[in-house]
Amino acid sequence: MMKRLILILAAASAILSCRKPFNPADFSDSLIYQGSVFVEYQGESFENKDIIVTFTLSEDEKSADIQINQIRFVPMMPVTVDTVLPVSVSGSDGSYTFSADGVYPHSPAGAEQNKYKINKLSGMVTGSMLSFSLFFGDYPTSFIGQRQETSTRN
């Protein structure tokens, strides 16, 4: 199982490794957060510190893309990746709840990443905090982060 996971992650990493570094200017319509992603894998919890996550709300405020930038979900991943989580949103005026279930993440370029279906994603944006939890396939994953000054949205 471990070898299979590493091979899958290596293949996904190879596809996504030809990307440019994170640049806040590319996310001028997004809220930018920095925090930790926690992943449960084989009975261990792995913390990924100082991860940048962007929250990009649609114009109608009914959906959003949450992009996790430059992450190595588990230490054995050979490279970092960017992944986008599409979510449904409710709320307004900077305070939102969001969710997704049974959908696939995609790359920033739009290619579906169909190895790990997103299940039971739920989260919120309140004040200066963003938090969410989900299952990537069978792997419990969560994020909690603080809004960064480079966010341009109010």
Side-chain angles (χ1 to χ4, degrees):
M1 179 70 174
M2 172 76 157
K3 287 183 182 180
R4 182 173 171 226
L5 177 63
I6 291 173
L7 287 174
I8 291 169
L9 293 174
S13 298
I15 292 167
L16 299 172
S17 63
C18 298
R19 59 174 169 62
K20 60 184 181 178
F22 178 79
N23 179 358
D26 294 339
F27 295 92
S28 62
D29 291 336
S30 303
L31 299 174
I32 300 172
Y33 298 85
Q34 183 173 1
S36 291
V37 172
F38 299 89
V39 180
E40 276 293 314
Y41 177 71
Q42 294 188 336
E44 278 189 71
S45 181
F46 295 96
E47 180 180 6
N48 298 276
K49 295 179 181 180
D50 299 322
I51 299 298
I52 302 294
V53 171
T54 60
F55 181 83
T56 307
L57 194 60
S58 65
E59 284 189 37
D60 66 5
E61 296 188 0
K62 294 183 191 264
S63 64
D65 282 338
I66 298 170
Q67 182 169 321
I68 304 171
N69 295 282
Q70 301 176 359
I71 185 162
R72 180 175 286 135
F73 286 100
V74 292
M76 29 319 241
M77 278 184 69
V79 297
T80 62
V81 296
D82 295 341
T83 191
V84 179
L85 315 175
V87 297
S88 298
V89 175
S90 62
S92 63
D93 297 327
S95 199
Y96 303 98
T97 59
F98 52 87
S99 62
D101 195 44
V103 299
Y104 290 99
H106 58 84
S107 72
E112 190 173 89
Q113 300 167 334
N114 60 5
K115 296 289 184 193
Y116 297 100
K117 186 184 280 188
I118 298 169
N119 290 302
K120 300 179 183 177
L121 187 152
S122 64
M124 66 177 78
V125 173
T126 55
S128 64
M129 300 296 292
L130 169 71
S131 63
F132 59 86
S133 62
L134 70 144
F135 284 83
F136 271 115
D138 295 329
Y139 305 102
T141 305
S142 62
F143 172 81
I144 186 163
Q146 183 80 28
R147 189 167 168 186
Q148 300 300 293
E149 291 300 319
T150 53
S151 296
T152 58
R153 214 175 237 244
N154 292 329

